[in-house]
């Protein structure tokens, strides 16, 4: 394909199958990176590597002396001194593995992106529109990596855990990378998307996406604060529909928001908001499903529509069971599936919104 063709409008540009497969692999790798990050967080592994070494950090410790040096570094952290004192070398290797694997997967994504990109670019298989979109993905990925280290660094001084707000910001940027890359993938398929000329579906499809984004952010804060450990019951929160601590005016002060781990206030507030928005989303999605099935014509949008209520019910059940099993610690398996479910739900609503745009231009 000539370079002249590469500069044509993306609406007329036909992307080779290899480019689409490459983007699919990228979407999968970002999805897995978020899941691996969830495992890393829930196993308390994120602070096991105390240095940020982009090149030399590619290799793990290769002998007993190197492992001992890494362990000594970790023993100087607040997490070891306040929580994991007396940890064995084998236990340290377990948490080290997940943080190392999380970083290694991120490095692998860089190679998977760069090498095919250069090949496709010089072949003229990437037009200007795709180039711009990929540029946004790269910038967001670099931002996610930078905030990843800022997040880790927040747990290496005084606090034995990473800061919940910085963790949530890191997660939010990662979800922005995933969303942008998935949307970019959708634009590479031949032909225009199915266009639904119904204002109500367009407006509420966008609102569901926005509310879901807010819900995922609340879930990130809740996870970072380990709020599930304070109220591991359902449907009530330790016997109350609204925790009394949230209704106390004296608790609404800046110190409680900043130093969220000094009392139950923020854990109660965030979990209450997360639960309430979940109920609201279920109601809105069911109503939206009914309206869309009534008004939308046959096509990709209507075919994918049943996945939305199905996935939101699965996600709610995962959230409930994750809460109920928060006895002393957050259950890793359920917690990871709950986070992965949020990504699947996000993927579905993005796909639906792709067919609800105001016009058919890519």
């Amino acid at each position: 394909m000539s370079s002249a063709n590469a500069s044509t409008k993306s609406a007329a540009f036909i992307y080779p199958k290899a480019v689409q497969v490459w983007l699919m692999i990228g979407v999968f790798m970002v999805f897995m990176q978020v899941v691996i990050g969830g495992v890393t967080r829930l196993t308390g592994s994120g602070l096991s590597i105390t240095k940020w070494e982009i090149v030399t950090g590619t290799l793990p410790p290769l002998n007993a002396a190197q492992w001992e040096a890494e362990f000594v570094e970790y023993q100087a952290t607040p997490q070891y001194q306040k929580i994991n004192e007396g940890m064995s070398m084998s236990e340290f290797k377990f948490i080290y593995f997940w943080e190392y694997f999380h970083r290694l997967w991120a490095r692998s994504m860089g190679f998977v992106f760069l090498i095919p990109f250069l090949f496709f670019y010089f072949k003229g298989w990437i037009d200007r529109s795709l180039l711009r979109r990929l540029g946004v993905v790269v910038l967001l990925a670099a931002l996610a990596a930078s905030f990843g280290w800022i997040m880790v660094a927040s747990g290496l001084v005084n606090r034995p855990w990473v800061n919940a707000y910085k963790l949530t910001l890191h997660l939010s940027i990662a979800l922005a990378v995933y969303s942008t890359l998935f949307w970019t993938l959708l634009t590479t398929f031949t032909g225009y998307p199915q266009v639904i000329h119904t204002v109500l579906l367009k407006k509420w499809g966008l609102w569901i996406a926005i509310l879901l984004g807010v819900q995922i952010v609340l879930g990130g804060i809740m996870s970072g604060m380990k709020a599930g450990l304070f109220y591991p019951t359902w449907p009530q929160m330790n016997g109350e529909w609204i925790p009394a601590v949230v209704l106390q005016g004296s608790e609404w002060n800046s110190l409680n928001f900043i130093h969220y781990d000094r009392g139950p206030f923020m854990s109660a507030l965030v979990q209450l908001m997360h639960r309430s928005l979940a109920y609201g989303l279920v109601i809105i999605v069911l109503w939206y499903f009914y309206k869309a099935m009534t008004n939308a014509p046959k096509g990709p949008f209507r075919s994918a529509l049943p996945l939305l209520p199905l996935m939101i019910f699965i996600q709610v059940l995962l959230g409930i069971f994750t809460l109920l099993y928060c006895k002393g610690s957050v259950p890793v398996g359920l917690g990871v599936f709950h986070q992965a479910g949020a990504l699947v739900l996000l993927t579905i609503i993005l796909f639906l919104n792709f067919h609800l745009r105001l016009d058919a231009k890519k």
Side-chain angles (χ1 to χ4, degrees):
M1 190 173 293
S2 67
S3 58
N5 287 338
S7 63
T8 58
K9 291 175 64 177
S10 62
F13 195 91
I14 298 176
Y15 297 98
K17 187 69 175 178
V19 172
Q20 295 171 339
V21 171
W22 170 57
L23 292 174
M24 288 179 191
I25 293 171
V27 169
F28 170 76
M29 291 194 75
V30 176
F31 183 100
M32 289 305 301
Q33 177 70 346
V34 176
V35 171
I36 295 167
V39 178
T40 302
R41 181 183 70 254
L42 292 172
T43 54
S45 305
L47 301 177
S48 58
I49 302 178
T50 59
K51 299 184 292 294
W52 185 256
E53 298 170 327
I54 297 176
V55 178
T56 56
T58 303
L59 293 176
L62 300 175
N63 54 54
Q66 291 178 351
W67 273 114
E68 188 61 35
E70 290 289 337
F71 197 17
V72 169
E73 294 269 2
Y74 177 67
Q75 288 172 332
T77 67
Q79 187 182 74
Y80 176 84
Q81 295 168 356
K82 296 180 180 180
I83 298 175
N84 291 333
E85 187 173 5
M87 168 184 277
S88 67
M89 177 62 79
S90 62
E91 290 171 328
F92 171 68
K93 287 182 177 180
F94 173 79
I95 63 172
Y96 189 98
F97 166 79
W98 283 110
E99 176 63 12
Y100 172 76
F101 187 41
H102 187 49
R103 297 189 188 193
L104 182 65
W105 192 271
R107 290 183 174 99
S108 300
M109 286 194 295
F111 285 107
V112 170
F113 177 85
L114 180 61
I115 296 172
F117 170 79
L118 293 174
F119 176 79
F120 296 147
Y121 180 78
F122 287 112
K123 290 283 288 186
W125 293 355
I126 296 178
D127 65 341
R128 289 180 180 175
S129 175
L130 182 56
L131 188 63
R132 286 194 298 269
R133 292 179 184 278
L134 292 176
V136 173
V137 172
V138 170
L139 288 175
L140 287 172
L143 195 62
S146 300
F147 270 94
W149 174 243
I150 292 173
M151 174 193 72
V152 170
S154 71
L156 297 177
V157 180
N158 298 325
R159 188 191 299 271
W161 300 107
V162 298
N163 182 278
Y165 301 124
K166 293 178 181 179
L167 181 150
T168 304
L169 185 56
H170 178 57
L171 174 63
S172 300
I173 298 171
L175 292 176
V177 174
Y178 177 81
S179 301
T180 305
L181 187 57
F182 179 66
W183 193 277
T184 298
L185 168 64
L186 293 177
T187 66
T188 65
F189 288 94
T190 304
Y192 296 125
Q194 178 190 9
V195 180
I196 312 296
H197 296 290
T198 305
V199 174
L200 181 142
L201 296 184
K202 294 176 188 293
K203 181 176 74 173
W204 281 100
L206 178 60
W207 269 112
I208 291 173
I210 292 172
L211 290 174
L212 179 59
V214 173
Q215 178 71 335
I216 294 174
V217 168
L218 287 174
I221 297 174
M222 182 170 165
S223 178
M225 294 180 179
K226 302 185 183 299
L229 299 177
F230 288 85
Y231 298 93
T233 60
W234 187 86
Q236 292 184 312
M237 298 174 64
N238 291 350
E240 300 175 299
W241 291 108
I242 300 177
V245 68
V246 175
L247 301 176
Q248 295 175 12
S250 60
E251 296 289 339
W252 289 79
N253 59 73
S254 59
L255 288 178
N256 272 341
F257 282 88
I258 297 170
H259 303 289
Y260 55 82
D261 49 359
R262 293 186 179 178
F265 172 76
M266 278 303 297
S267 294
L269 177 62
V270 170
Q271 189 174 152
L272 179 64
M273 293 172 66
H274 193 56
R275 291 187 185 207
S276 301
L277 186 51
Y279 302 144
L281 274 169
V282 169
I283 294 170
I284 293 171
V285 163
L286 289 176
W287 170 81
Y288 185 79
F289 174 71
Y290 169 75
K291 288 292 185 180
M293 290 298 291
T294 304
N295 294 284
K298 292 182 179 179
F301 174 85
R302 186 162 177 167
S303 297
L305 192 61
L307 295 174
L308 186 61
L310 174 63
M311 192 61 222
I312 201 164
F313 273 120
I314 292 173
Q315 183 65 354
V316 167
L317 287 175
L318 284 170
I320 292 171
F321 281 109
T322 301
L323 267 177
L324 295 178
Y325 282 91
C326 278
K327 306 298 183 182
S329 63
V330 180
V332 176
L334 285 168
V336 170
F337 277 118
H338 188 48
Q339 181 166 301
L343 271 179
V344 173
L345 195 54
L346 178 62
T347 303
I348 294 169
I349 195 62
L350 286 173
F351 180 84
L352 294 175
N353 274 286
F354 183 75
H355 294 282
L356 289 170
R357 295 176 300 164
L358 295 177
D359 55 55
K361 295 179 182 179
K362 289 185 180 180

